[in-house]
Amino acid sequence: MKIENFDTGLKGQKDIKNIIITPEENYNNKKKVRDSLKKIIKMGKSKLNDNLNECFSSDVKVNCFHPINEFTGIEKFKEDFWLPLFESFPDLERREQLVLGGTFRDKVQVGSISTLSGVFKKSWLGIKPNFKMVNLRCCEIHEIKHNKIIESHILIDVMDLIFQTGVFPVNPSRGSEGNWLHPINTDGVNFFEKNPEISRSNLEQALTMQRSLNIKPELDSTSDEDLKSKLINHPQAEFWHDKMIWYGPSGIGTARSLEGFVNNHQLPFRKTFKERNYWKLGHYSELGDGKFSLTAGWHSIQATYGSNHWLGFAPNNKNVTMRVMDFYHHDEGKIRENWVPIDIVHILKQIDIDIFEMIK
């Protein structure tokens, strides 16, 4: 099975001028975005206008998780995202697990995984408070231009918050639920990579592994056992570390080892979405930064919901799109860890499963 080589980036772009920045510029971009976001969280509502205007352009484009979704403008950002967040979690704190940056084509970007912790005191998105400390898993990618953020993609794991309040509206996860771990044996936040070749090589490893996913043994497998064997002996196996960890969103859960990944996510996902196109629109972000890389698509995966194997809901052959980010840690020549935020609530909405109606 040969891995096909093809462009995984956004389709339809012409006359794009690739931007190159120095390792020092990349480090400074990461520090600025990190400091700005921590400042917004730390100072809360009292200085929100000043801090948002300092960090974001007035016409910032925002792409959020469901049900906040997409909009434009800093005022709507404040009203729809930030103010409700501070009202529901008034003592919010931000802790980063991973911050990486770089350029993709004509974009300068910074991506991060963080945890927003606070006491849940007021309903948020229709989720009832439990008056206890909760941890919001937050993954972001911000595009910078003229020293301000001009576009943001934000995925907060809403299903995880619902689970933390003691409500379980969906079927039990195949994998393990709970907080994602920090990168093993390394600092994922303060690192500085001087050698661009290391960053480029690790990104290419992630992209080649992703291209291998286009090889689909599920289309001619005779049983689950046959498919499992083909996936474990799939070309993807070349890229995964023996002790790999795949950190999935709530509803799927975390898996360890390639076998665990196949059992808990990949096999049921492939059976459910046999008709799928990973890159119909393509990635809006592909970054390599030292031992880490990042790819992301906003509706880049388009698929048909064809069985109940993944998440367990009855098939209806609805077409769905997926908001996905992949953060990779490369170690010992392989992919050691993969953090994968997916907007599960948005996918379920597209197959007529409304989580917010279910939890009323």
Side-chain angles (χ1 to χ4, degrees):
M1 292 183 284
K2 185 178 179 181
I3 301 174
E4 183 183 357
N5 189 19
F6 53 89
D7 183 12
T8 52
L10 278 176
K11 305 300 184 289
Q13 291 186 317
K14 297 180 179 179
D15 302 321
I16 298 296
K17 182 179 180 181
N18 293 334
I19 294 177
I20 298 175
I21 60 175
T22 66
E24 290 77 13
E25 287 173 314
N26 184 48
Y27 182 82
N28 289 336
N29 288 336
K30 292 190 293 182
K31 187 176 187 309
K32 178 177 174 54
V33 170
R34 181 189 176 202
D35 290 348
S36 296
L37 293 173
K38 292 198 81 165
K39 185 178 178 181
I40 291 170
I41 293 290
K42 183 175 182 178
M43 300 186 77
K45 289 196 294 183
S46 65
K47 295 290 185 180
L48 187 56
N49 284 335
D50 291 343
N51 289 332
L52 289 181
N53 282 302
E54 181 182 326
C55 184
F56 297 93
S57 66
S58 61
D59 59 349
V60 61
K61 183 179 180 183
V62 181
N63 309 275
C64 270
F65 51 94
H66 185 72
I68 298 178
N69 300 311
E70 298 100 340
F71 55 86
T72 299
I74 200 167
E75 189 64 26
K76 193 164 178 60
F77 198 12
K78 181 182 76 172
E79 295 294 332
D80 288 8
F81 180 83
W82 289 104
L83 284 177
L85 195 67
F86 287 130
E87 288 167 2
S88 296
F89 312 95
D91 62 339
L92 211 57
E93 293 184 325
R94 177 186 175 93
R95 306 182 191 203
E96 288 98 353
Q97 295 165 270
L98 179 58
V99 181
L100 70 159
T103 62
F104 177 52
R105 296 182 176 173
D106 60 339
K107 303 178 188 295
V108 179
Q109 297 173 321
V110 173
S112 67
I113 301 173
S114 67
T115 301
L116 307 180
S117 301
V119 177
F120 190 8
K121 290 191 173 183
K122 181 181 178 182
S123 289
W124 185 62
L125 309 177
I127 305 167
K128 295 178 181 178
N130 62 355
F131 305 98
K132 298 177 182 180
M133 177 175 157
V134 295
N135 298 305
L136 302 179
R137 184 183 296 142
C138 182
C139 299
E140 303 157 84
I141 300 174
H142 302 285
E143 181 185 351
I144 305 167
K145 193 172 185 178
H146 303 312
N147 216 31
K148 288 198 175 185
I149 294 171
I150 64 167
E151 183 167 9
S152 295
H153 291 79
I154 303 171
L155 291 179
I156 288 179
D157 196 330
V158 174
M159 191 72 76
D160 183 46
L161 173 63
I162 294 172
F163 287 179
Q164 289 179 66
T165 66
V167 178
F168 300 92
V170 297
N171 300 297
S173 301
R174 290 172 176 261
S176 300
E177 289 289 347
N179 291 342
W180 289 351
L181 300 177
H182 290 241
I184 191 168
N185 298 331
T186 192
D187 179 357
V189 175
N190 300 295
F191 69 92
F192 173 63
E193 179 53 62
K194 293 182 179 180
N195 186 353
E197 180 55 31
I198 292 175
S199 302
R200 187 207 63 77
S201 176
N202 283 327
L203 173 60
E204 190 52 43
Q205 181 181 64
L207 291 173
T208 305
M209 184 282 296
Q210 289 182 349
R211 293 184 185 104
S212 81
L213 302 181
N214 222 28
I215 298 171
K216 301 174 180 176
E218 62 272 17
L219 297 180
D220 57 10
S221 292
T222 57
S223 66
D224 283 0
E225 291 74 17
D226 178 47
L227 178 55
K228 178 179 176 179
S229 176
K230 288 177 178 177
L231 290 174
I232 289 176
N233 295 288
H234 188 277
Q236 67 175 324
E238 174 188 346
F239 304 97
W240 295 109
H241 194 282
D242 288 344
K243 294 183 178 180
M244 67 164 281
I245 304 177
W246 188 86
Y247 301 96
S250 280
I252 302 174
T254 289
R256 184 175 176 90
S257 79
L258 179 56
E259 183 177 9
F261 173 43
V262 168
N263 285 338
N264 294 334
H265 171 63
Q266 198 176 63
L267 188 150
F269 181 89
R270 283 173 175 262
K271 289 183 68 175
T272 295
F273 297 110
K274 287 185 177 181
E275 295 182 38
R276 67 185 184 278
N277 187 326
Y278 285 110
W279 301 278
K280 188 168 185 178
L281 297 180
H283 293 143
Y284 66 87
S285 183
E286 294 181 352
L287 306 178
D289 191 358
K291 296 181 68 174
F292 300 96
S293 65
L294 162 63
T295 69
W298 201 256
H299 311 308
S300 66
I301 299 178
Q302 298 191 1
T304 301
Y305 188 72
S307 83
N308 66 351
H309 293 91
W310 189 74
L311 300 183
F313 293 101
N316 54 14
N317 291 315
K318 292 267 189 175
N319 292 324
V320 303
T321 61
M322 303 183 191
R323 302 161 172 174
V324 183
M325 300 175 184
D326 276 278
F327 295 81
Y328 295 99
H329 174 203
H330 305 260
D331 191 47
E332 298 179 348
K334 303 282 187 176
I335 300 173
R336 181 66 165 85
E337 297 172 287
N338 182 194
W339 298 264
V340 190
I342 305 173
D343 194 344
I344 297 293
V345 175
H346 178 247
I347 294 173
L348 291 176
K349 177 68 173 175
Q350 295 173 79
I351 61 169
D352 300 327
I353 306 295
D354 191 328
I355 292 300
F356 301 104
E357 286 295 321
M358 295 173 70
I359 66 173
K360 277 185 178 179

